[in-house]
Amino acid sequence: MAGPMTEFHGRLVDCDSHLYLTPAQLPDAVGPDFARRFIRLQETTFGPRDVAGEAARVTMDVDSVWRVKGWQAGAAYDAGLRVQTLNLMGVDRQVLFPDGLFASVTTSRMPGAPEAASRYNDYVLDWSAAGNGRLRPMAILHMRDVAAAISEAERTISRGAYGFYLSCAAPPAGMAPANPAWDRLWALLAEARVPAFLHVGSE
């Protein structure tokens, strides 16, 4: 898209955006130990990057907001700039998924992943408060243990969760999603009117 669609300016809902946390943000978001391990994995996968330098070289305007993505755009990780970007794009509200590698790791069997996901959920709800309801982040639901997943869903819903990201890389807790063991979770989400989302590409 070359620019905002004037006819729908201010009425658009972006259903597939992502939050790219920087290395500086990760210790608060997932805890220092998990952050160190994730950053090592991130740099092994993508190489070290100068996040602040990349963003400083980009001027945010009505053209660049449609072209510049990821850490090259300060709005990728700064909530205030994200709201300014929505205004330039004419977007009313935006659904924010975690980035792919982060989502994969925090739903994996890596030691500390459930705790990191839970901590991220608190972090991202606080982070999005600057949007006054326009930024709608997906909390991460680690589903390798039924009871723990239900407990985390209850906790995060009580904090105002907009929705949950679920991994689609493997059957949850080794079972079909339709297994009766998961009935309480689906009922909980339905009662709270909080949707569950799958996002391919994070396997």
Side-chain angles (χ1 to χ4, degrees):
M1 185 180 297
M5 297 182 290
T6 305
E7 181 182 355
F8 301 105
H9 199 278
R11 298 164 53 199
L12 300 170
V13 177
D14 180 356
C15 295
D16 187 11
S17 179
H18 293 264
L19 172 60
Y20 290 87
L21 295 177
T22 68
Q25 290 171 307
L26 281 166
D28 285 338
V30 295
D33 179 62
F34 198 88
R36 280 192 295 271
R37 286 183 284 146
F38 179 74
I39 290 168
R40 282 199 301 268
L41 176 61
Q42 198 171 48
E43 291 185 346
T44 299
T45 305
F46 301 111
R49 297 174 64 182
D50 175 16
V51 178
E54 288 184 27
R57 288 189 286 272
V58 176
T59 300
M60 188 173 68
D61 56 33
V62 73
D63 178 55
S64 66
V65 294
W66 296 100
R67 296 183 295 101
V68 182
K69 305 296 178 184
W71 282 345
Q72 289 183 307
Y77 50 86
D78 182 301
L81 292 177
R82 181 69 66 112
V83 173
Q84 293 180 40
T85 296
L86 298 189
N87 293 338
L88 287 169
M89 287 180 158
V91 172
D92 178 38
R93 284 164 290 156
Q94 187 175 65
V95 174
L96 293 104
F97 292 96
D99 81 69
L101 181 62
F102 185 82
S104 297
V105 172
T106 49
T107 56
S108 73
R109 297 186 185 278
M110 180 184 287
E115 295 78 14
S118 179
R119 186 162 177 164
Y120 170 82
N121 293 343
D122 289 333
Y123 181 90
V124 77
L125 286 170
D126 291 340
W127 179 90
S128 66
N132 294 315
R134 296 177 67 191
L135 303 177
R136 304 210 168 186
M138 296 301 101
I140 296 172
L141 199 55
H142 196 281
M143 295 182 65
R144 296 182 184 273
D145 179 274
V146 177
I150 293 172
S151 176
E152 177 61 12
E154 289 174 334
R155 189 192 72 82
T156 311
I157 287 171
S158 74
R159 284 221 57 213
Y162 292 102
F164 288 97
Y165 162 82
L166 314 180
S167 173
C168 56
M175 299 179 286
N179 189 295
W182 288 111
D183 285 354
R184 175 59 193 140
L185 175 65
W186 307 136
L188 173 66
L189 299 186
E191 290 161 8
R193 299 180 64 83
V194 173
F197 291 83
L198 301 177
H199 192 300
V200 297
S202 303
E203 296 80 5

